[in-house]
Amino acid sequence: VPAPGPRTRARLTHLWETPEDLRGWLGTVDHKKLGKRYLMTAFAFLLVGGIEAVLIRLQLARADQTLFTAEQYNQIFTLHGVTMIFWYAQPILTGFGVYLIPLMIGARDLAYPRLNAFGYWTFLLSGLFLYASPFLGQSPHAGWFAYVPYSTGKFSPGLGLDFYALSLIFLTISTTSGAVNFIVTILRHRAPGMAISKMPLFMYSSLTVSVSVIFSLPPLTAACTFLLLDRQWSFRFYDTLYGGSTVLWQHLFWFFGHPWVYIIFLPATGMISMLLPVFARRPIVGYPWVAAATVLTGVVGFAVWVHHMFAVGITHLGMSFFSAASMTISVFTAVQVFSWVATLWKGRLVLTSSMLFALGFLALLVVGGLNGIVTAVIPVDWQLHDTHFVVAHLHYVLVGANVFPVFAGFYFWLPKVTGRLMNERLGKLSFWAMFIGFNLTFFPMHILGALGMPRRIFTYSQSQGWETLNLVASVGAGVLTLGVLLSVINFLWSVKKGARAGENPWNADGLEWSASSPPEPYGSVHLPAVQTRYPLWDDHDEEHDPRHERILDGGRYTFTTSALDARPWAIAEMPAASLAPVVGALVLTAVFAGLLAKNLWVAGGALLLALATNAYWAWPKVRKVPEPPLEPEHHEEDKRNPLVTELDPGRGKWGMGCLIATEAMLFVALFFAYFYLGPFPTEKAPKLHLVLPMLGVLLLSSGVLHYGERQVKKHADRRARAALAVTLLLGLVFVALQVVEFRNKLQELTPQMNAYGSIIYTITSFHAAHLLVGLLMLGFVLVLPRLHAAEKPPHHPYKSAALYWHFVDVVWVFIVTFLYILPNLHK
Amino acid sequence: MTRSPTEVERASGVSRRQLWLGLILPTAAWAGHGMLGTLVALLSCKQFGIAERSAPAFTRPILFGLSLVALGVVVFSVVSSLRILRRITGSSQPVGQQGHQREEFMAMAAVFFSVTFAFGIALNAVPVLVLANVCEGTR
């Protein structure tokens, strides 16, 4: 059979390319285009945050400086921290992932392309939402962690902290959607043969942080929601006079915050594990250990949050546990460092700009790791807490382990993205300026911290003896900025005038280097099959596909493979460009603007529009496989024998599983808050006479829906629909009972009365909101055209909606047990 | 010559469940030890120790016992993962190709998980032995 020629390429291009008009630009779902947008937008945020950093250093360069007032300085360092940590450090890695993951694993796109587009637009709009605050003179000013009580309405009036809380909640939607996409893509769409023992290490880090995102972001959402409710609606979560707790914020924030450190660090280490062996000209030493250490960092990362709170006043035993976990986690980073060093030791080094940035990362990571261990020792931490030592530590970790790998990644992968090589001389100059500038800026801060200079002070007096070191740090910031600008110039120059890169300019091993530079809209003509960890180094022949098993040009198709061994299982059909994601993101912006203005009509109206957009998005479209531009002739070239022929009907199920996991974590955070704020003085234990029947109604509804699921499997369309209708009816009965329960309860307790009222109403309202979403899902499935259309049963929307409904019911079981039955037992 | 997953499983007699257990057991032992330890300390100190600001006599033995049980579980996990690894790899593995087969990779990861969590649990047990009052700081 002859190799496929121009006709196959033209057909694939026609299937996968996005129209070059405004509609195409707004509606594109191409991971390469969206990846580039992520990278550019996040880099723009890096530049904005960098300008803020320069302003901070200008203010601190000399004693008694008066460039800014204390309030202005607070706003600048808050925006700097928030921008760098939330809108640069993680999204830039998402950008690399969005662009590279499908190419690295041999898929044609991410699992959910429209969700990917939605994630990008929400990321962009949430950032613009935050940056509307300085233009309104209402910037947040309480640091990137916004500790209460300073951030509550009493001490920080105005809209600044509302902007903070709302923009973070907005951003979590983008981050979570990205994580879901990565998890499902990596687990279900790897090239045939790419078992978990052969995945690129970047996949391990991306998968680990995506799972971490799913479980770490809900506590942040809970904390920010509590803050907003306290500030705007006079709830009492953080008001100690009414039974609230200020430490609750710290627990929730750092339960998110420490895994977040790994979320912005691990993908960067994954990038280093990909590019360092290429420039050491040998496979990485200890692949299995590096992969396992990456996963374990994600796991243990959830058990170290209290080390940010050693100065708060925790039990000694509790502190010891968290200190031990903090020491344990250093083992995993050490394993990775030793593996990189061994790879360098046994390799033949090629000192490109990318490699220099990788080596710089290694040096800075070791310093950042070691001074991190210093602060994990409790008595030392008590001395150094809230001093510039901590500023030095966090910048060694975050800049050293994020910015340097990101620049290494830019110099390594941009030739693939743009098709042009960057200038090596300028790249090396940029590296040295950044490396020297960085150390000049942040190393003196260790000494300043040991001398007692606190963080977050806007000026200091000459008599304190901190001026020289601060001046050195400020000069260093200038050198660092120069280094960054040299790379920006290099990039702009190379896009126009750089030498052509070719497919594989570095003689690298990964699958992404088998595509053209820049890649075609469809990636490779033949979806690759993988035999080894280093396909391009180990006699890889992607074109060896004599039966044309891996071309898949009958539609926008890619393979679905099994999670562990990547055995081909089905064909996944990918959606084409759509305006629904950008419209959905815009409507969500209106929801958040309404909440900011406390205008519930605007917020509610926009929410309804968002639901309508969602329904349009999910409504099954008639599959229009576009006609190929050239009529297929009866020619050998057009013979296809795909590895698998079945269409994958259940891709949404995995996404729904991830959604339920993150929602479950949200309720765990809410229950944690309930128990943390308790025990409550319960003179009157909550009444059970309504909630127990409500429990019965929900359990019955789950039973009926389960019966319906079984009928779907049996193709009993009518009975399945009837079960769905009965479930809906029971759900509505529950809503009616919930309204009565609220009305009764409000007679004796309001959310503003005390922390107990606040948490009780918040938990039950969150559940009610989830229940309404569940009802909408069931209603949507009920009106879907056919229960089992062309796909084979079971009908997957039915299954997904049922899964969500069962989850909502299980949550109610916990609510009744914790909030109603337990207080009655203690009566 | 690469062997298919089923061939490897058949040849070594190691089931997929055993491989997963090697990863999950030490993780669960470490997490369970941490959570149960914290819970026991909190409950017993709040219930019995807070008035006199000293730990009840049974708190320390319970915590120590928990550590021993958790350590026992991970030591069992270390031994069984090493056995499984040997059964899968045999002695003919060429250097540099370790963990190439998915089963071998999982077995190696299980050894790593078990050893590091044994270290983690041992570290967690140290404060129980050395703190003068395990209830210190309870409010």
Side-chain angles (χ1 to χ4, degrees):
Chain A
V1 177
R7 193 166 50 218
T8 303
R9 291 177 191 276
R11 190 181 303 148
L12 283 167
T13 306
H14 187 70
L15 280 165
W16 287 93
E17 76 179 351
T18 312
E20 292 291 329
D21 52 12
L22 182 66
R23 200 184 160 86
W25 191 83
L26 287 171
T28 185
V29 292
D30 182 347
H31 75 98
K32 295 177 288 300
K33 287 183 191 290
L34 291 166
K36 278 194 276 188
R37 285 182 198 173
Y38 259 113
L39 290 172
M40 285 192 282
T41 311
F43 198 83
F45 278 117
L46 171 74
L47 295 181
V48 172
I51 291 168
E52 287 154 357
V54 169
L55 295 179
I56 292 169
R57 284 317 317 166
L58 282 175
Q59 170 69 15
L60 293 178
R62 294 176 57 197
D64 302 314
Q65 188 83 290
T66 53
L67 277 176
F68 303 110
T69 62
E71 176 59 22
Q72 287 168 334
Y73 182 83
N74 289 351
Q75 292 181 2
I76 292 169
F77 82 68
T78 300
L79 276 178
H80 164 71
V82 171
T83 306
M84 289 302 204
I85 288 180
F86 294 107
W87 274 272
Y88 155 71
Q90 194 276 336
I92 197 118
L93 300 171
T94 302
F96 276 105
V98 165
Y99 194 96
L100 292 171
I101 285 175
L103 294 173
M104 283 180 171
I105 62 172
R108 290 217 160 110
D109 207 326
L110 290 170
Y112 307 117
R114 286 177 300 185
L115 190 66
N116 187 24
F118 177 72
Y120 169 72
W121 291 113
T122 44
F123 158 57
L124 173 69
L125 291 170
S126 63
L128 294 178
F129 185 85
L130 174 74
Y131 268 90
S133 66
F135 294 101
L136 297 173
Q138 302 275 349
S139 292
H141 66 164
W144 76 276
F145 35 70
Y147 276 176
V148 295
Y150 183 54
S151 57
T152 56
K154 194 173 175 184
F155 301 102
S156 297
L159 291 176
L161 270 298
D162 298 335
F163 267 113
Y164 169 90
L166 283 167
S167 57
L168 282 191
I169 296 172
F170 196 0
L171 180 68
T172 59
I173 297 171
S174 162
T175 314
T176 306
S177 60
V180 171
N181 229 333
F182 284 177
I183 291 171
V184 182
T185 306
I186 294 171
L187 290 180
R188 303 299 286 171
H189 295 296
R190 299 198 306 277
M194 189 184 273
I196 55 167
S197 51
K198 295 170 196 154
M199 284 202 303
L201 285 167
F202 184 59
M203 295 310 114
Y204 271 100
S205 52
S206 295
L207 188 61
T208 303
V209 302
S210 299
V211 174
S212 295
V213 161
I214 295 287
F215 292 107
S216 67
L217 282 187
L220 176 72
T221 307
C224 286
T225 306
F226 294 167
L227 181 64
L228 208 65
L229 290 170
D230 270 19
R231 289 176 58 82
Q232 291 199 337
W233 303 95
S234 305
F235 279 44
R236 307 292 185 187
F237 290 105
Y238 303 125
D239 193 336
T240 46
L241 285 177
Y242 293 86
S245 165
T246 52
V247 182
L248 173 65
W249 169 271
Q250 293 200 30
H251 276 296
L252 291 173
F253 188 86
W254 287 118
F255 188 85
F256 141 80
H258 202 83
W260 189 257
V261 171
Y262 296 108
I263 286 164
I264 59 186
F265 159 65
L266 281 180
T269 65
M271 283 158 60
I272 294 295
S273 295
M274 298 296 292
L275 64 89
L276 195 131
V278 172
F279 295 119
R281 294 279 176 260
R282 60 150 294 132
I284 195 159
V285 173
Y287 169 100
W289 312 125
V290 176
T294 305
V295 174
L296 284 175
T297 308
V299 174
V300 181
F302 279 97
V304 296
W305 84 92
V306 170
H307 78 209
H308 294 271
M309 301 166 59
F310 282 157
V312 166
I314 311 283
T315 64
H316 287 193
L317 191 66
M319 280 197 287
S320 309
F321 281 166
F322 285 99
S323 183
S326 306
M327 305 247 179
T328 308
I329 208 165
S330 62
V331 172
F332 311 129
T333 310
V335 166
Q336 287 174 291
V337 170
F338 287 132
S339 156
W340 294 323
V341 171
T343 308
L344 292 172
W345 188 263
K346 299 196 127 196
R348 285 182 286 119
L349 305 194
V350 184
L351 286 177
T352 58
S353 307
S354 178
M355 182 63 155
L356 282 178
F357 275 105
L359 294 174
F361 149 81
L362 206 52
L364 299 180
L365 176 71
V366 171
V367 178
L370 289 177
N371 62 23
I373 294 175
V374 169
T375 49
V377 179
I378 299 162
V380 183
D381 183 74
W382 283 341
Q383 284 298 312
L384 297 173
H385 190 79
D386 263 346
T387 69
H388 261 69
F389 188 95
V390 178
V391 180
H393 162 64
L394 76 92
H395 281 88
Y396 266 89
V397 174
L398 296 184
V399 180
N402 180 289
V403 176
F404 276 74
V406 161
F407 273 71
F410 273 138
Y411 277 91
F412 187 61
W413 278 296
L414 275 185
K416 175 58 55 186
V417 177
T418 63
R420 306 268 184 175
L421 289 168
M422 286 168 82
N423 184 297
E424 275 297 306
R425 189 174 294 178
L426 211 51
K428 286 174 184 170
L429 207 60
S430 167
F431 164 74
W432 285 113
M434 283 178 70
F435 189 75
I436 293 168
F438 174 83
N439 282 293
L440 268 181
T441 310
F442 293 103
F443 196 81
M445 290 186 195
H446 290 108
I447 306 165
L448 283 168
L451 290 175
M453 181 176 172
R455 304 168 71 176
R456 300 185 287 270
I457 50 164
F458 86 107
T459 192
Y460 52 90
S461 79
Q462 206 164 18
S463 61
Q464 283 164 308
W466 301 334
E467 198 170 29
T468 310
L469 287 171
N470 269 300
L471 189 62
V472 171
S474 296
V475 170
V479 180
L480 178 58
T481 309
L482 180 72
V484 174
L485 289 178
L486 283 174
S487 274
V488 173
I489 292 166
N490 194 354
F491 169 70
L492 295 174
W493 174 86
S494 75
V495 170
K496 294 276 178 206
K497 299 196 172 169
R500 296 268 174 203
E503 274 182 13
N504 191 357
W506 313 118
N507 190 20
D509 59 312
L511 281 180
E512 74 273 26
W513 298 103
S514 66
S516 58
S517 304
E520 298 292 342
Y522 50 83
S524 306
V525 174
H526 298 263
L527 287 165
V530 169
Q531 306 282 331
T532 75
R533 269 180 208 150
Y534 312 101
L536 268 62
W537 282 350
D538 296 340
D539 299 328
H540 169 77
D541 185 4
E542 183 191 286
E543 300 295 317
H544 184 70
D545 181 18
R547 285 162 50 82
H548 293 181
E549 291 176 319
R550 296 183 264 111
I551 293 181
L552 300 187
D553 60 348
R556 290 172 65 93
Y557 294 155
T558 196
F559 284 119
T560 297
T561 47
S562 61
L564 286 182
D565 295 310
R567 272 176 281 194
W569 182 73
I571 293 172
E573 188 179 19
M574 301 290 184
S578 163
L579 288 177
V582 64
V583 172
L586 282 168
V587 171
L588 260 186
T589 314
V591 173
F592 283 97
L595 290 174
L596 180 77
K598 278 180 77 174
N599 188 331
L600 292 183
W601 287 107
V602 171
L607 193 63
L608 285 178
L609 270 177
L611 291 170
T613 314
N614 217 332
Y616 169 75
W617 179 332
W619 193 258
K621 314 282 186 299
V622 178
R623 289 200 186 102
K624 281 191 290 185
V625 177
E627 285 298 312
L630 299 167
E631 277 302 308
E633 295 157 18
H634 293 290
H635 187 280
E636 288 294 289
E637 184 191 310
D638 295 305
K639 283 191 176 169
R640 303 282 186 265
N641 304 286
L643 275 177
V644 278
T645 51
E646 299 260 318
L647 273 181
D648 179 0
R651 295 191 311 122
K653 203 172 53 181
W654 283 69
M656 179 57 80
C658 292
L659 174 73
I660 288 175
T662 197
E663 295 289 310
M665 191 62 206
L666 178 65
F667 280 100
V668 169
L670 293 175
F671 288 131
F672 170 81
Y674 171 78
F675 285 111
Y676 189 81
L677 292 171
F680 300 102
T682 47
E683 288 167 18
K684 277 199 227 165
K687 291 173 189 151
L688 295 169
H689 68 282
L690 263 178
V691 291
L692 288 180
M694 285 161 78
L695 178 65
V697 168
L698 275 195
L699 291 179
L700 182 63
S701 73
S702 260
V704 172
L705 198 56
H706 181 64
Y707 167 79
E709 287 175 83
R710 287 170 53 189
Q711 298 314 305
V712 171
K713 275 186 196 165
K714 293 179 191 166
H715 298 261
D717 203 16
R718 194 171 292 175
R719 268 178 285 172
R721 276 179 190 275
L724 205 58
V726 172
T727 310
L728 260 171
L729 202 65
L730 288 168
L732 290 172
V733 170
F734 179 91
V735 172
L737 289 171
Q738 178 85 76
V739 171
V740 177
E741 161 72 4
F742 273 156
R743 284 185 60 180
N744 289 347
K745 205 181 248 316
L746 280 169
Q747 307 284 329
E748 45 198 50
L749 180 74
T750 66
Q752 289 81 12
M753 209 174 264
N754 53 33
Y756 175 65
S758 300
I759 189 70
I760 288 279
Y761 281 103
T762 304
I763 292 178
T764 44
S765 302
F766 264 67
H767 176 263
H770 280 74
L771 187 110
L772 288 175
V773 171
L775 283 175
L776 287 172
M777 278 188 196
L778 295 178
F780 181 81
V781 175
L782 193 63
V783 296
L784 273 177
R786 285 162 65 191
L787 274 182
H788 43 83
E791 298 93 343
K792 279 193 167 181
H795 184 59
H796 287 273
Y798 197 111
K799 219 172 171 182
S800 293
L803 199 63
Y804 190 82
W805 187 257
H806 296 318
F807 159 70
V808 172
D809 294 357
V810 169
V811 171
W812 186 250
V813 173
F814 282 101
I815 289 177
V816 171
T817 310
F818 294 156
L819 273 57
Y820 290 89
I821 294 177
L822 277 183
N824 273 288
L825 292 178
H826 280 102
K827 197 165 56 172
Chain B
M1 189 72 184
T2 45
R3 292 182 296 172
S4 76
T6 39
E7 280 173 332
V8 175
E9 277 171 14
R10 219 174 288 150
S12 61
V14 175
S15 68
R16 186 172 288 193
R17 189 178 296 176
Q18 280 174 298
L19 291 167
W20 276 114
L21 200 67
L23 297 171
I24 292 167
L25 198 64
T27 315
W30 172 79
H33 174 248
M35 283 194 274
L36 275 177
T38 309
L39 202 66
V40 166
L42 266 180
L43 289 179
S44 66
C45 292
K46 277 204 169 178
Q47 290 284 321
F48 307 103
I50 194 155
E52 63 272 27
R53 300 184 67 78
S54 61
F58 57 82
T59 306
R60 196 189 301 268
I62 291 179
L63 290 172
F64 191 65
L66 270 176
S67 302
L68 280 182
V69 171
L71 263 178
V73 172
V74 283
V75 167
F76 166 77
S77 186
V78 171
V79 174
S80 58
S81 341
L82 275 171
R83 267 195 203 148
I84 286 172
L85 184 61
R86 278 202 202 110
R87 260 158 63 187
I88 290 175
T89 55
S91 54
S92 57
Q93 189 67 256
V95 175
Q97 287 296 306
Q98 288 94 343
H100 202 82
Q101 288 287 346
R102 196 256 304 158
E103 295 75 10
E104 187 192 348
F105 173 77
M106 286 177 81
M108 288 175 87
V111 173
F112 186 72
F113 273 47
S114 310
V115 171
T116 48
F117 280 130
F119 170 70
I121 291 168
L123 261 184
N124 260 346
V126 172
V128 179
L129 293 174
V130 298
L131 276 179
N133 177 4
V134 290
C135 285
E136 184 77 45
T138 307
R139 289 186 289 185

